Coordinates of all heavy atoms in Angstrom, one line a residue:
G704 N 98.0 206.2 177.0 CA 96.8 206.3 176.2 C 96.2 207.7 176.3 O 96.7 208.6 177.0
V705 N 95.1 207.9 175.6 CA 94.4 209.2 175.6 C 93.5 209.2 176.9 O 92.8 208.2 177.2 CB 93.6 209.3 174.3 CG1 92.7 210.6 174.4 CG2 94.5 209.4 173.1
G706 N 93.4 210.3 177.5 CA 92.6 210.5 178.7 C 91.2 210.9 178.3 O 90.6 210.3 177.4
L707 N 90.7 211.9 178.9 CA 89.3 212.4 178.6 C 89.2 213.1 177.2 O 90.1 213.9 176.9 CB 88.9 213.4 179.7 CG 88.9 212.9 181.1 CD1 88.6 214.1 182.0 CD2 87.8 211.9 181.3
H708 N 88.2 212.7 176.5 CA 88.0 213.3 175.1 C 86.6 213.1 174.7 O 85.8 212.3 175.2 CB 89.0 212.7 174.1 CG 88.8 211.3 173.9 ND1 88.0 210.8 172.9 CD2 89.3 210.2 174.6 CE1 88.1 209.4 173.0 NE2 88.8 209.1 174.0
F709 N 86.2 214.0 173.8 CA 84.8 213.8 173.1 C 84.9 214.4 171.7 O 85.8 215.2 171.4 CB 83.7 214.5 174.0 CG 83.9 216.0 174.2 CD1 83.3 216.9 173.4 CD2 84.6 216.4 175.3 CE1 83.4 218.3 173.6 CE2 84.8 217.8 175.5 CZ 84.2 218.7 174.7
G710 N 83.9 214.0 170.9 CA 83.9 214.5 169.6 C 82.7 215.5 169.4 O 81.7 215.5 170.1
I711 N 82.9 216.4 168.4 CA 81.9 217.4 168.0 C 81.7 217.2 166.5 O 82.6 217.1 165.7 CB 82.3 218.8 168.3 CG1 82.5 219.0 169.8 CG2 81.3 219.8 167.7 CD1 83.0 220.3 170.2
Q712 N 80.4 217.2 166.1 CA 80.1 217.1 164.7 C 79.2 218.2 164.3 O 78.3 218.7 165.0 CB 79.3 215.8 164.4 CG 78.8 215.6 163.0 CD 78.1 214.2 162.8 OE1 78.7 213.2 163.1 NE2 76.9 214.2 162.3
V713 N 79.4 218.8 163.1 CA 78.7 219.9 162.5 C 77.7 219.3 161.4 O 78.2 218.7 160.5 CB 79.5 221.0 161.9 CG1 78.7 222.1 161.4 CG2 80.6 221.5 162.9
N714 N 76.4 219.4 161.6 CA 75.5 218.7 160.7 C 75.1 219.6 159.5 O 73.9 219.8 159.3 CB 74.3 218.2 161.5 CG 74.6 217.1 162.4 OD1 75.5 216.3 162.1 ND2 73.9 217.0 163.5
D715 N 76.1 220.0 158.8 CA 75.9 220.6 157.5 C 76.6 219.8 156.5 O 77.4 218.9 156.8 CB 76.5 222.1 157.5 CG 75.8 223.0 158.4 OD1 74.5 223.0 158.4 OD2 76.4 223.7 159.2
W716 N 76.5 220.0 155.2 CA 77.2 219.3 154.1 C 78.4 220.1 153.7 O 78.3 221.2 153.3 CB 76.3 219.0 152.9 CG 75.2 218.0 153.3 CD1 73.9 218.3 153.5 CD2 75.3 216.6 153.4 NE1 73.2 217.2 153.8 CE2 74.1 216.1 153.7 CE3 76.4 215.7 153.3 CZ2 73.8 214.8 153.9 CZ3 76.2 214.4 153.5 CH2 74.9 213.9 153.8
Y717 N 79.6 219.5 153.8 CA 80.9 220.0 153.4 C 81.5 219.0 152.4 O 81.3 217.8 152.5 CB 81.8 220.3 154.6 CG 81.2 221.2 155.6 CD1 80.5 220.7 156.7 CD2 81.3 222.6 155.5 CE1 79.9 221.6 157.6 CE2 80.7 223.4 156.4 CZ 80.1 222.9 157.5 OH 79.5 223.8 158.4
W718 N 82.4 219.5 151.6 CA 83.1 218.6 150.7 C 84.2 217.9 151.4 O 85.0 218.5 152.1 CB 83.6 219.4 149.4 CG 82.6 219.8 148.5 CD1 82.3 221.1 148.2 CD2 81.6 219.1 147.9 NE1 81.2 221.2 147.3 CE2 80.7 219.9 147.1 CE3 81.3 217.7 147.8 CZ2 79.7 219.5 146.4 CZ3 80.2 217.3 147.1 CH2 79.4 218.2 146.4
R719 N 84.3 216.6 151.2 CA 85.4 215.8 151.8 C 86.7 215.9 150.9 O 86.6 216.3 149.8 CB 84.9 214.3 151.8 CG 83.7 214.0 152.6 CD 83.3 212.6 152.4 NE 84.4 211.7 152.6 CZ 84.8 211.2 153.8 NH1 84.1 211.5 154.9 NH2 85.8 210.3 153.8
S720 N 87.8 215.4 151.5 CA 89.0 215.3 150.7 C 89.1 214.0 149.9 O 89.9 213.9 149.1 CB 90.2 215.4 151.7 OG 90.2 214.3 152.6
N721 N 88.2 213.1 150.2 CA 88.1 211.8 149.5 C 86.7 211.3 149.6 O 85.9 211.8 150.5 CB 89.1 210.8 149.9 CG 88.9 210.4 151.4 OD1 88.2 211.0 152.1 ND2 89.5 209.3 151.7
A722 N 86.3 210.3 148.8 CA 85.0 209.7 148.9 C 84.8 209.0 150.2 O 85.8 208.4 150.7 CB 84.7 208.8 147.8
N723 N 83.7 209.1 150.8 CA 83.4 208.4 152.1 C 83.5 206.9 151.8 O 82.8 206.4 150.9 CB 82.0 208.7 152.6 CG 81.7 208.1 153.9 OD1 81.9 206.9 154.1 ND2 81.1 208.9 154.8
P724 N 84.3 206.1 152.5 CA 84.5 204.7 152.2 C 83.2 203.9 152.4 O 83.2 202.8 151.9 CB 85.6 204.3 153.2 CG 85.6 205.3 154.3 CD 85.1 206.6 153.6
Y725 N 82.3 204.4 153.2 CA 81.1 203.6 153.5 C 79.9 203.9 152.5 O 79.1 203.1 152.2 CB 80.6 203.9 154.9 CG 81.7 203.6 155.9 CD1 82.4 204.7 156.5 CD2 82.1 202.3 156.2 CE1 83.4 204.5 157.4 CE2 83.2 202.1 157.1 CZ 83.8 203.2 157.7 OH 84.8 202.9 158.6
T726 N 79.9 205.2 152.0 CA 78.7 205.6 151.2 C 79.1 206.0 149.8 O 78.3 206.1 148.9 CB 78.0 206.8 151.8 OG1 78.8 207.9 151.8 CG2 77.5 206.4 153.2
G727 N 80.4 206.3 149.5 CA 80.8 206.8 148.2 C 80.5 208.3 148.0 O 80.9 208.9 147.0
Q728 N 79.9 208.9 149.0 CA 79.6 210.4 148.9 C 80.8 211.2 149.1 O 81.8 210.9 149.8 CB 78.6 210.8 150.0 CG 77.3 210.3 149.9 CD 76.3 210.7 151.0 OE1 75.2 210.4 151.0 NE2 76.8 211.6 151.9
W729 N 80.8 212.4 148.4 CA 81.9 213.3 148.5 C 81.5 214.4 149.5 O 82.4 215.3 149.9 CB 82.3 213.9 147.2 CG 83.2 213.0 146.5 CD1 82.9 211.9 145.7 CD2 84.7 213.0 146.5 NE1 84.0 211.3 145.2 CE2 85.1 211.9 145.7 CE3 85.6 213.8 147.1 CZ2 86.4 211.6 145.5 CZ3 86.9 213.5 146.9 CH2 87.4 212.4 146.1
S730 N 80.3 214.5 149.9 CA 79.9 215.5 150.9 C 79.6 214.8 152.2 O 79.3 213.6 152.3 CB 78.6 216.2 150.4 OG 77.6 215.3 150.2
D731 N 79.9 215.5 153.3 CA 79.8 214.9 154.6 C 79.6 215.9 155.7 O 79.9 217.1 155.5 CB 81.0 214.0 154.9 CG 80.7 212.8 155.8 OD1 79.7 212.9 156.5 OD2 81.5 211.9 155.8
N732 N 79.3 215.5 156.9 CA 79.4 216.4 158.1 C 80.8 216.6 158.5 O 81.7 215.8 158.2 CB 78.6 215.8 159.3 CG 77.2 215.4 159.0 OD1 76.8 214.3 159.3 ND2 76.4 216.3 158.4
A733 N 81.1 217.7 159.2 CA 82.4 218.0 159.6 C 82.5 217.5 161.1 O 81.6 217.6 161.8 CB 82.7 219.5 159.6
G734 N 83.8 217.1 161.4 CA 84.0 216.6 162.8 C 85.3 217.0 163.4 O 86.2 217.4 162.6
M735 N 85.4 217.0 164.7 CA 86.7 217.2 165.4 C 86.6 216.5 166.7 O 85.6 216.2 167.2 CB 87.0 218.7 165.5 CG 86.1 219.5 166.5 SD 86.5 221.2 166.5 CE 85.3 221.9 167.5
E736 N 87.8 216.3 167.3 CA 87.9 215.7 168.6 C 88.5 216.7 169.6 O 89.3 217.5 169.2 CB 88.9 214.5 168.6 CG 88.5 213.4 167.6 CD 87.3 212.6 168.0 OE1 87.0 212.5 169.3 OE2 86.5 212.2 167.1
V737 N 88.0 216.7 170.8 CA 88.4 217.5 171.9 C 89.1 216.7 172.9 O 88.5 215.7 173.4 CB 87.2 218.3 172.5 CG1 87.7 219.2 173.6 CG2 86.4 219.0 171.5
I738 N 90.4 216.9 173.1 CA 91.2 216.1 174.0 C 91.5 217.0 175.2 O 92.1 218.1 175.1 CB 92.5 215.6 173.4 CG1 92.2 214.6 172.3 CG2 93.4 214.9 174.5 CD1 92.7 214.9 171.0
I739 N 91.0 216.6 176.4 CA 91.2 217.4 177.6 C 92.5 217.0 178.2 O 92.8 215.9 178.6 CB 90.0 217.1 178.6 CG1 88.7 217.5 178.0 CG2 90.3 217.9 179.9 CD1 87.5 217.1 178.8
K740 N 93.4 218.0 178.1 CA 94.8 217.8 178.5 C 95.0 217.9 180.0 O 95.8 217.2 180.6 CB 95.7 218.7 177.8 CG 95.7 218.5 176.3 CD 96.5 219.6 175.6 CE 98.0 219.4 175.7 NZ 98.7 220.2 174.8
N741 N 94.2 218.8 180.7 CA 94.3 219.0 182.1 C 92.9 219.3 182.6 O 92.3 220.4 182.4 CB 95.2 220.1 182.4 CG 95.4 220.3 183.9 OD1 94.5 220.1 184.7 ND2 96.6 220.7 184.3
A742 N 92.3 218.3 183.3 CA 90.9 218.5 183.7 C 90.7 219.5 184.8 O 89.7 220.1 185.0 CB 90.3 217.1 184.2
S743 N 91.8 219.8 185.6 CA 91.6 220.8 186.6 C 91.7 222.3 186.1 O 91.1 223.2 186.7 CB 92.7 220.6 187.7 OG 94.0 220.9 187.1
T744 N 92.4 222.5 184.9 CA 92.4 223.8 184.3 C 91.5 223.9 183.1 O 91.4 225.0 182.5 CB 93.9 224.2 183.9 OG1 94.3 223.2 182.9 CG2 94.8 224.2 185.1
C745 N 91.0 222.8 182.7 CA 90.2 222.7 181.4 C 91.0 223.0 180.2 O 90.4 223.4 179.1 CB 88.9 223.6 181.5 SG 87.9 223.2 182.9
D746 N 92.3 222.8 180.2 CA 93.1 222.9 179.1 C 92.8 221.8 178.1 O 92.7 220.7 178.5 CB 94.6 222.9 179.5 CG 95.6 223.1 178.3 OD1 95.2 223.9 177.4 OD2 96.6 222.5 178.3
F747 N 92.7 222.2 176.8 CA 92.3 221.1 175.8 C 93.1 221.4 174.5 O 93.6 222.4 174.3 CB 90.8 221.2 175.5 CG 90.3 222.4 174.9 CD1 90.2 222.6 173.5 CD2 89.9 223.5 175.7 CE1 89.8 223.7 172.9 CE2 89.5 224.7 175.1 CZ 89.4 224.8 173.7
E748 N 93.0 220.3 173.7 CA 93.6 220.4 172.3 C 92.5 219.9 171.4 O 91.8 219.0 171.7 CB 94.8 219.4 172.3 CG 95.4 219.3 170.9 CD 96.5 218.2 170.9 OE1 96.8 217.6 172.0 OE2 97.0 217.9 169.8
L749 N 92.5 220.5 170.2 CA 91.6 220.1 169.1 C 92.3 219.3 168.0 O 93.4 219.7 167.6 CB 90.9 221.3 168.5 CG 90.0 222.1 169.4 CD1 89.4 223.3 168.6 CD2 88.9 221.3 170.0
T750 N 91.8 218.2 167.6 CA 92.4 217.4 166.5 C 91.3 217.1 165.5 O 90.1 217.2 165.7 CB 93.0 216.1 167.0 OG1 92.0 215.2 167.5 CG2 94.1 216.4 168.1
T751 N 91.7 216.5 164.4 CA 90.8 216.1 163.3 C 90.0 214.9 163.9 O 90.3 214.3 164.9 CB 91.5 215.7 162.1 OG1 92.4 214.6 162.4 CG2 92.3 216.8 161.4
S752 N 88.9 214.6 163.2 CA 88.1 213.4 163.5 C 88.9 212.1 163.5 O 89.6 211.9 162.6 CB 86.9 213.3 162.5 OG 86.2 212.2 162.8
W753 N 88.8 211.3 164.5 CA 89.5 210.1 164.6 C 88.8 209.0 163.7 O 89.4 208.1 163.3 CB 89.5 209.6 166.0 CG 90.4 210.4 166.9 CD1 91.2 211.4 166.6 CD2 90.5 210.2 168.3 NE1 91.8 211.9 167.7 CE2 91.4 211.2 168.8 CE3 89.9 209.4 169.3 CZ2 91.8 211.4 170.1 CZ3 90.3 209.6 170.6 CH2 91.2 210.5 171.0
G754 N 87.5 209.1 163.5 CA 86.8 208.1 162.8 C 87.0 208.0 161.3 O 86.8 206.9 160.8
D755 N 87.4 209.1 160.7 CA 87.5 209.1 159.2 C 88.5 210.2 158.8 O 88.2 211.4 159.0 CB 86.1 209.3 158.6 CG 86.1 209.4 157.1 OD1 87.2 209.3 156.5 OD2 85.0 209.5 156.6
S756 N 89.6 209.8 158.3 CA 90.7 210.8 158.0 C 90.3 211.7 156.8 O 90.9 212.8 156.7 CB 92.0 210.1 157.6 OG 91.8 209.2 156.5
G757 N 89.3 211.4 156.0 CA 88.9 212.2 154.9 C 87.7 213.1 155.3 O 87.3 213.9 154.4
A758 N 87.2 213.0 156.5 CA 86.1 213.9 156.9 C 86.4 215.3 156.9 O 87.6 215.7 157.3 CB 85.5 213.4 158.2
P759 N 85.5 216.2 156.6 CA 85.7 217.7 156.7 C 86.1 218.0 158.2 O 85.6 217.4 159.1 CB 84.4 218.3 156.3 CG 83.8 217.3 155.4 CD 84.2 215.9 156.0
D760 N 87.0 219.0 158.3 CA 87.5 219.3 159.7 C 86.7 220.4 160.3 O 86.7 221.6 159.8 CB 89.0 219.7 159.5 CG 89.7 219.9 160.8 OD1 89.1 219.9 161.9 OD2 90.9 219.9 160.8
A761 N 86.0 220.1 161.4 CA 85.1 221.1 162.0 C 85.9 222.2 162.7 O 85.4 223.3 163.0 CB 84.3 220.4 163.1
R762 N 87.3 222.1 162.8 CA 88.1 223.2 163.4 C 88.1 224.4 162.4 O 88.3 225.5 162.8 CB 89.5 222.7 163.6 CG 89.6 221.6 164.7 CD 91.0 221.1 164.8 NE 91.6 220.6 163.6 CZ 92.8 220.2 163.4 NH1 93.7 220.3 164.4 NH2 93.2 219.7 162.3
D763 N 87.7 224.1 161.2 CA 87.6 225.2 160.2 C 86.3 225.9 160.2 O 86.1 226.9 159.5 CB 87.9 224.6 158.8 CG 89.3 224.1 158.6 OD1 90.2 224.5 159.3 OD2 89.5 223.1 157.8
V764 N 85.4 225.4 161.0 CA 84.0 225.9 161.1 C 83.7 226.5 162.5 O 82.9 227.5 162.6 CB 83.0 224.9 160.7 CG1 81.6 225.4 160.8 CG2 83.3 224.3 159.3
L765 N 84.2 225.8 163.5 CA 83.8 226.1 164.9 C 85.0 226.6 165.7 O 86.1 226.3 165.5 CB 83.3 224.9 165.6 CG 82.1 224.2 164.9 CD1 81.8 222.9 165.7 CD2 80.9 225.1 164.9
D766 N 84.6 227.4 166.7 CA 85.6 227.8 167.8 C 85.1 227.1 169.1 O 83.9 226.9 169.3 CB 85.6 229.3 168.0 CG 86.4 230.0 166.9 OD1 87.4 229.5 166.5 OD2 85.9 231.1 166.4
L767 N 86.0 226.8 170.0 CA 85.7 226.2 171.3 C 86.4 226.9 172.4 O 87.6 227.2 172.2 CB 86.0 224.7 171.2 CG 85.7 223.9 172.4 CD1 84.1 223.7 172.5 CD2 86.4 222.5 172.4
T768 N 85.8 227.2 173.4 CA 86.4 227.8 174.6 C 86.0 227.0 175.8 O 85.0 226.2 175.8 CB 86.0 229.3 174.9 OG1 84.6 229.4 175.0 CG2 86.5 230.2 173.7
S769 N 86.7 227.0 176.9 CA 86.4 226.3 178.1 C 86.7 227.2 179.3 O 87.5 228.1 179.2 CB 87.2 225.0 178.2 OG 88.6 225.3 178.4
K770 N 86.0 226.8 180.4 CA 86.3 227.4 181.7 C 86.0 226.5 182.8 O 85.1 225.7 182.7 CB 85.6 228.7 181.8 CG 84.1 228.6 182.0 CD 83.4 229.9 182.2 CE 81.9 229.7 182.2 NZ 81.2 231.0 182.4
P771 N 86.8 226.5 183.9 CA 86.5 225.6 185.0 C 85.2 226.1 185.7 O 84.9 227.3 185.8 CB 87.7 225.9 186.0 CG 88.7 226.5 185.1 CD 88.0 227.2 184.0
T772 N 84.4 225.1 186.2 CA 83.2 225.3 186.9 C 83.3 224.5 188.2 O 84.2 223.7 188.3 CB 81.9 225.0 186.1 OG1 82.0 223.6 185.9 CG2 81.9 225.7 184.8
S773 N 82.3 224.7 189.1 CA 82.4 223.9 190.3 C 82.2 222.4 190.1 O 82.7 221.6 190.9 CB 81.3 224.4 191.3 OG 80.0 224.2 190.7
G774 N 81.6 222.0 189.0 CA 81.4 220.6 188.7 C 82.4 220.1 187.6 O 82.3 218.9 187.2
G775 N 83.4 220.8 187.2 CA 84.3 220.4 186.2 C 84.7 221.4 185.2 O 85.1 222.5 185.6
C776 N 84.3 221.2 183.9 CA 84.6 222.1 182.9 C 83.4 222.5 182.1 O 82.5 221.6 181.9 CB 85.7 221.6 181.9 SG 87.3 221.2 182.6
S777 N 83.3 223.7 181.7 CA 82.2 224.1 180.8 C 82.8 224.5 179.5 O 83.7 225.3 179.4 CB 81.5 225.3 181.4 OG 80.5 225.9 180.5
F778 N 82.2 223.9 178.4 CA 82.7 224.2 177.0 C 81.6 225.0 176.3 O 80.5 224.7 176.4 CB 83.0 222.9 176.3 CG 84.2 222.2 176.8 CD1 84.1 221.3 177.8 CD2 85.5 222.5 176.3 CE1 85.2 220.7 178.3 CE2 86.6 221.9 176.8 CZ 86.5 220.9 177.8
T779 N 82.1 226.0 175.5 CA 81.2 226.8 174.7 C 81.7 226.6 173.2 O 82.8 226.9 172.9 CB 81.2 228.3 175.1 OG1 80.8 228.4 176.4 CG2 80.3 229.1 174.2
V780 N 80.7 226.2 172.3 CA 81.0 226.0 170.9 C 80.3 227.2 170.2 O 79.1 227.4 170.4 CB 80.4 224.7 170.4 CG1 80.7 224.5 168.9 CG2 81.0 223.5 171.2
T781 N 81.0 227.9 169.3 CA 80.5 228.9 168.4 C 80.9 228.7 167.0 O 82.0 228.2 166.8 CB 80.9 230.3 168.9 OG1 82.3 230.4 169.0 CG2 80.3 230.6 170.3
R782 N 80.1 229.2 166.1 CA 80.6 229.2 164.7 C 81.5 230.3 164.4 O 81.4 231.4 165.0 CB 79.4 229.4 163.7 CG 78.5 228.1 163.6 CD 77.5 228.3 162.4 NE 76.8 227.1 162.3 CZ 77.1 226.1 161.4 NH1 78.1 226.2 160.6 NH2 76.3 225.0 161.3
K783 N 82.6 230.1 163.6 CA 83.5 231.1 163.3 C 82.8 232.2 162.4 O 81.9 231.8 161.6 CB 84.7 230.5 162.4 CG 85.6 229.6 163.2 CD 86.7 229.1 162.3 CE 87.6 228.2 163.1 NZ 88.5 228.9 164.0
A784 N 83.2 233.4 162.6 CA 82.6 234.5 161.8 C 82.9 234.3 160.3 O 82.0 234.6 159.5 CB 83.0 235.9 162.3
T785 N 84.1 233.9 160.0 CA 84.5 233.7 158.6 C 85.1 232.3 158.5 O 86.4 232.2 158.6 CB 85.4 234.8 158.1 OG1 86.5 234.9 159.0 CG2 84.7 236.1 158.0
P786 N 84.3 231.2 158.4 CA 84.9 229.9 158.4 C 85.7 229.7 157.1 O 85.4 230.2 156.0 CB 83.7 229.0 158.4 CG 82.6 229.8 157.9 CD 82.9 231.2 158.3
S787 N 86.8 228.9 157.2 CA 87.5 228.5 156.0 C 87.0 227.3 155.3 O 87.4 227.0 154.2 CB 89.0 228.3 156.3 OG 89.1 227.3 157.3
L788 N 86.0 226.6 155.9 CA 85.4 225.5 155.3 C 83.9 225.9 155.0 O 83.2 226.4 155.9 CB 85.3 224.3 156.2 CG 84.8 223.0 155.7 CD1 85.6 222.4 154.5 CD2 84.7 222.0 156.8
H789 N 83.5 225.8 153.7 CA 82.2 226.4 153.3 C 81.2 225.3 153.0 O 81.6 224.2 152.5 CB 82.4 227.3 152.1 CG 83.3 228.4 152.3 ND1 83.0 229.5 153.1 CD2 84.6 228.6 152.0 CE1 84.0 230.3 153.2 NE2 85.0 229.8 152.5
I790 N 80.0 225.5 153.3 CA 78.9 224.6 153.1 C 78.8 224.4 151.6 O 78.9 225.3 150.8 CB 77.6 225.1 153.7 CG1 77.7 225.2 155.2 CG2 76.4 224.2 153.2 CD1 76.5 225.8 155.9
T791 N 78.5 223.1 151.2 CA 78.4 222.8 149.7 C 77.3 223.6 149.1 O 76.2 223.8 149.7 CB 78.2 221.3 149.5 OG1 77.0 220.9 150.2 CG2 79.3 220.5 150.0
K792 N 77.4 224.0 147.9 CA 76.4 224.7 147.1 C 75.6 223.8 146.3 O 76.1 222.9 145.6 CB 77.1 225.7 146.2 CG 78.0 226.7 146.9 CD 77.2 227.9 147.4 CE 78.1 228.9 147.9 NZ 77.9 229.5 149.2
G793 N 74.3 223.8 146.4 CA 73.4 223.0 145.6 C 73.4 221.6 146.0 O 72.9 220.7 145.3
C794 N 73.8 221.2 147.2 CA 73.8 219.9 147.7 C 73.1 219.8 149.0 O 73.5 220.4 150.0 CB 75.2 219.3 147.8 SG 75.3 217.7 148.6
A795 N 72.1 219.0 149.1 CA 71.4 218.8 150.3 C 71.6 217.4 150.8 O 71.0 216.9 151.8 CB 69.9 219.0 150.2
G796 N 72.5 216.7 150.1 CA 72.9 215.3 150.4 C 71.8 214.3 150.1 O 70.6 214.6 150.1
P797 N 72.2 213.1 149.7 CA 73.6 212.7 149.5 C 74.1 213.2 148.2 O 73.3 213.2 147.2 CB 73.5 211.2 149.5 CG 72.1 210.8 149.1 CD 71.2 212.0 149.6
C798 N 75.3 213.6 148.1 CA 75.9 214.1 146.9 C 77.2 213.3 146.6 O 77.9 213.0 147.6 CB 76.3 215.6 147.0 SG 74.9 216.6 147.3
K799 N 77.4 213.0 145.4 CA 78.6 212.2 145.1 C 79.7 213.0 144.4 O 80.8 212.6 144.3 CB 78.2 211.0 144.2 CG 77.4 210.0 145.0 CD 77.3 208.7 144.4 CE 76.4 207.8 145.2 NZ 76.9 206.5 145.5
N800 N 79.3 214.2 143.8 CA 80.4 215.0 143.2 C 79.9 216.5 143.2 O 78.7 216.8 143.6 CB 80.7 214.5 141.8 CG 79.6 214.6 140.9 OD1 78.9 215.6 140.7 ND2 79.3 213.5 140.2
S801 N 80.7 217.4 142.8 CA 80.4 218.8 142.9 C 79.3 219.2 141.9 O 78.9 220.3 141.9 CB 81.7 219.6 142.7 OG 82.2 219.4 141.4
N802 N 79.0 218.3 140.9 CA 77.9 218.6 139.9 C 76.5 218.3 140.5 O 75.6 218.6 139.8 CB 78.2 217.8 138.6 CG 79.5 218.2 138.0 OD1 79.9 219.3 138.0 ND2 80.1 217.2 137.4
E803 N 76.4 217.8 141.6 CA 75.1 217.4 142.2 C 74.7 218.4 143.2 O 75.5 219.0 143.9 CB 75.1 216.0 142.8 CG 75.4 215.0 141.8 CD 75.4 213.6 142.5 OE1 74.7 213.4 143.5 OE2 76.1 212.7 142.0

């Protein structure tokens, strides 16, 4: 099974690859999962959100670094200087299509 992991969500509106199955919206927050592969070295892997396969991918918006500390691992999240996923234009949510 999977060991240590946590999720990160970006609370901006991004276009989804499909309608949200719960709300019908085409805009959503971006998400990603952080899987800690080795807790002693803080080695990790980033994957898409586990909760919703159509959710925008936060790996296109954020960078993540880690370093060992005396208490475990310290993670630093920063926005990419030039993200490949762009915030929706003219949508403050909820939006159902690109015309809203």
